Amino acid sequence: MIAEVQTGTNRTAKVSIKGVSKHFATGDGKASKRFFALKDVDLEVSDGEFVTLVGPSGCGKSTLLNIIAGFEKPDAGDVYFEGRPVVAAGPDRLVLFQDHGLFPWLNVQQNVEFGLRVLGLPKKERRERAMEYLKMVHLQKFRHSYPFQLSGGMKQRTAIARALAVHPHMLLMDEPFGALDPRTRDIMHMELQSLWMQTKKTIIFVTHSVEEAVRLADRVVIMASQPGRIRKILKVPLSHPRDFLDPSLAELRTTILAELEDELNKLVQREGDEDWHLDEKSISARARRAPEIDGGEGI
Ligand code: ADP
Ligand code: MG
């Protein structure tokens, strides 16, 4: 049963983030300055919800995910998971990265069984559980293959099976499909929706692709940079599995791109000469005319 979040009002909150700030020092010696990777972030995620965090590079998406995972500590604010303060990383909140992190010397089945071995499960149970999740990600046939023999999508499906097999309470995903080609990513989007519908896991998924964010989420959290913060949260009022050609997804994508327009200007100012500016409304106007412009790559 989910414990009540002590300081919150939402009794079923899986994750509750209250006034979280995190700064890093920049520069060196006397010139060192504090800059906020995150400032005053509040967010509640319900049990079984699929939330995506979207925003430009450097807006604090990974920092927020790492704080929820317990890899990093906030300077201020509180983070609760199932009603308890997050003090360290744990197998109840597993993180999946772009780099699948499979062990190259173990085959697919052994990779999936690895976490179960750590948990001390007997051999028969390990085998059964691994096969259950390999079936779910459609990789039973490849159970004896090694990572080098798999495509990028197959590696990520193995990593997802390995994560789900240890029965985490939540999945934290940091741009897991960022290195995949567009068609493989389409397949992974369908696959992840199906896995989410079967397992009802709470998922927080970080991406810089607006397209990916709207395809997958119940709610899209739009982040802004300098300081890293939540700018807006939008609901995606469509049931899963989604038709990716649904016009309301394209509409939502255009709305989010327009919302992030000035973030692009901030990004070019950070990463170029002072006289480099983007045309006003250029990106959102182009997005309206040609919905494919971000090609799923986003911002
Ligand atoms: P995102 O995932 O949205 O691209 P990050 O959360 O990785 O952004 O980073 C937010 C900001 O904090 C960036 O400007 C990044 O350079 C900075 N940052 C992240 N981790 C560290 C760190 N360990 N030390 C110093 N700066 C960091
Ligand atoms: Mg990141």
Side-chain angles (χ1 to χ4, degrees), residues 24-25 35 37 55-64 72 174-175 206 270:
F24 294 109
F35 95 97
S57 167
C59 71
K61 303 181 296 294
S62 295
T63 304
L64 186 55
E72 300 233 35
D174 195 348
E175 311 214 20
V206 161
R270 255 198 334 265

Side-chain angles (χ1 to χ4, degrees), residues 59-75:
C59 71
K61 303 181 296 294
S62 295
T63 304
L64 186 55
L65 209 72
N66 288 339
I67 287 174
I68 299 168
F71 297 151
E72 300 233 35
K73 290 208 183 335
D75 305 323

Side-chain angles (χ1 to χ4, degrees), residues 226-237:
Q226 296 191 317
R229 63 199 185 279
I230 292 177
R231 185 166 185 143
K232 204 175 234 181
I233 300 180
L234 293 179
K235 267 193 181 356
V236 184

Side-chain angles (χ1 to χ4, degrees), residues 137-199:
V137 298
H138 314 290
L139 278 175
Q140 275 179 309
K141 200 168 83 183
F142 294 94
R143 64 187 180 279
H144 300 307
S145 301
Y146 284 84
F148 77 90
Q149 297 170 306
L150 307 177
S151 71
M154 291 159 85
K155 284 179 199 158
Q156 278 299 354
R157 277 151 55 211
T158 307
I160 293 172
R162 182 175 65 173
L164 288 173
V166 302
H167 293 172
H169 298 193
M170 176 165 77
L171 287 183
L172 299 165
M173 307 181 85
D174 195 348
E175 311 214 20
F177 309 145
L180 303 178
D181 66 85
R183 296 289 74 82
T184 306
R185 210 178 310 159
D186 285 347
I187 293 169
M188 293 308 294
H189 290 161
M190 291 188 271
E191 187 75 355
L192 185 59
Q193 284 188 92
S194 151
L195 292 170
W196 175 74
M197 285 159 60
Q198 289 173 69
T199 61

